[in-house]
Each structure stands twice: as C-alpha cells, then as structure tokens.
Amino acid sequence: MKWMKYLAGAVVTAAVAGMATVSYAAPAKAPHNTVTKVGAAKIEAAPAGKARAATATRPATKNTASTPRVVAPGERVTAAPGFRLWLTAEGKHWTTPTSPEPQFRSVVDGNIDLNTPGVSLQSEITDGRAYLSGLYYGGKGVASGVEIETAAGTVHGKLIELAGHPGWGVWYATTEVGSGGPMDFVSQVTVHDTEGGIYAQLKTQ
C-alpha cells in the first residue's frame, strides 16, 4: 500500500486520485549568526644585531560546513533504488519506486515566493520505507544541511542545487517508517545554513 503526502509553502494542490494532498506555509526563524576569528602567523623584523621576535595570532579557522551538491540541469541523482531526482530551471523532478512516471514541482508558476524562506515536503511511504523530498528557497546565506523530524527519529538528508545560486534547491532523504502513521510521519523539516542557523523551516504539526 502506498501513501502520498504533499506539503508546499503557500500553495494548495488539488487532490489526485489515491493521493492525499495538504498545504502548509512555513516561515523561517531568524538565523543565529556565529563569528569565526581568522588570524595568521606574523613575524616582525628586529633591528640589526638583535634577535628577531616572532609573534603569532590564533591560526586561521576553516569553515568546514557542507554546502549543497551542485548538479547540471537534468542530471539524475539516485537517492535509493527507484528514487531519483533531477533539477531544471523550472523546478524539481523526481520518481519513486511505485511512481516511476516523473513528477514535478515548479518554482516558476507563481505558487512560491523565492524571496521568502520556505520549505516544501513531498513524501511517499510504501513497504515500510519513506521517500522524502522537497524544495527549499528564499533563505539568507548558504544552505548547508537538512534535518527531518519523523516518528522514527531525526533523519539527516542531502541537498542539491543548480549552479549560479538560483535561490532554491532540493532536499531529500529516505528512512524506515517505524511505528509512525503515514499521514503524520514527518513533523518538521529544517534546512540549516553554513553558520549553524536556520535557512528555512517547515512545521507540519
């Protein structure tokens, strides 16, 4: 048995036979900025005849936060057998194991505001496994990672974007369903930025 749920910021989509469709708006919390101090070793020349003194500041700190994988338009990304995603300038395309015909979520039809932080959720649960994905868009800074709160626990997903910082991207993840019901399996999706703050967030409950 297959269950489908679509959650999208500020858009209500008509129900398709056999699929449940729901709509949510998801304002983001303000990012929590962190400060990284960067320093470099510095050696000063001493006058002739005197020993040179070396003074060093704190070594440079590298930003190790991950960033989205950049993909070419139409490049297929396999998240799991039968679960594939790809991006075009128009939006997100994907297939799932029980829905091999490509599905599509537009970013240019006027149903989302790329200037306002938001996250959408499309989920399919079948044979005890959840196939989760959605759009993220409009946040400040650079997206870094995604956490999905589910009835089975916290799931860490992945991000993909087109080149050129288009202002939106796609997150995706898979997980075992556990004891959660299909319609309330996901309670929250949070996309973080590279500074540890919130890029955009969706709460479904």
Side-chain angles (χ1 to χ4, degrees):
M1 180 179 294
K2 175 182 70 176
W3 294 82
M4 300 288 295
K5 178 165 66 174
Y6 294 87
L7 306 179
V11 54
V12 178
T13 306
V16 179
M19 303 179 186
T21 61
V22 188
S23 175
Y24 286 84
K29 295 181 180 178
H32 303 288
N33 293 326
T34 58
V35 178
T36 302
K37 295 182 179 179
V38 179
K42 179 181 179 182
I43 300 178
E44 297 180 354
K50 295 184 179 180
R52 292 189 298 174
T55 60
T57 60
R58 182 178 297 179
T61 302
K62 294 182 179 180
N63 187 347
T64 58
S66 63
T67 55
R69 172 183 169 183
V70 175
V71 295
E75 179 182 347
R76 266 56 171 176
V77 175
T78 300
F83 185 25
R84 305 178 76 189
L85 306 102
W86 62 100
L87 311 183
T88 63
E90 290 74 31
K92 169 199 172 193
H93 308 253
W94 77 102
T95 63
T96 57
T98 56
S99 299
E101 289 297 318
Q103 302 176 66
F104 175 64
R105 207 38 113 236
S106 177
V107 297
V108 297
D109 61 3
N111 285 322
I112 63 173
D113 181 1
L114 295 180
N115 296 313
T116 301
V119 179
S120 71
L121 166 64
Q122 291 85 50
S123 66
E124 176 178 311
I125 297 177
T126 183
D127 296 329
R129 191 161 189 82
Y131 301 89
L132 311 171
S133 63
L135 298 169
Y136 62 87
Y137 49 88
K140 295 185 181 298
V142 178
S144 178
V146 60
E147 289 182 344
I148 307 99
E149 301 299 331
T150 78
T154 300
V155 177
H156 295 273
K158 297 181 179 181
L159 308 179
I160 54 176
E161 287 186 8
L162 294 173
H165 304 290
W168 65 276
V170 165
W171 66 271
Y172 65 91
T174 64
T175 186
E176 299 296 329
V177 172
S179 60
M183 297 306 295
D184 60 358
F185 182 65
V186 176
S187 58
Q188 183 171 288
V189 181
T190 304
V191 177
H192 293 282
D193 61 28
T194 53
E195 294 186 349
I198 294 178
Y199 180 93
Q201 187 176 68
L202 169 68
K203 294 183 178 182
T204 67
Q205 299 176 10

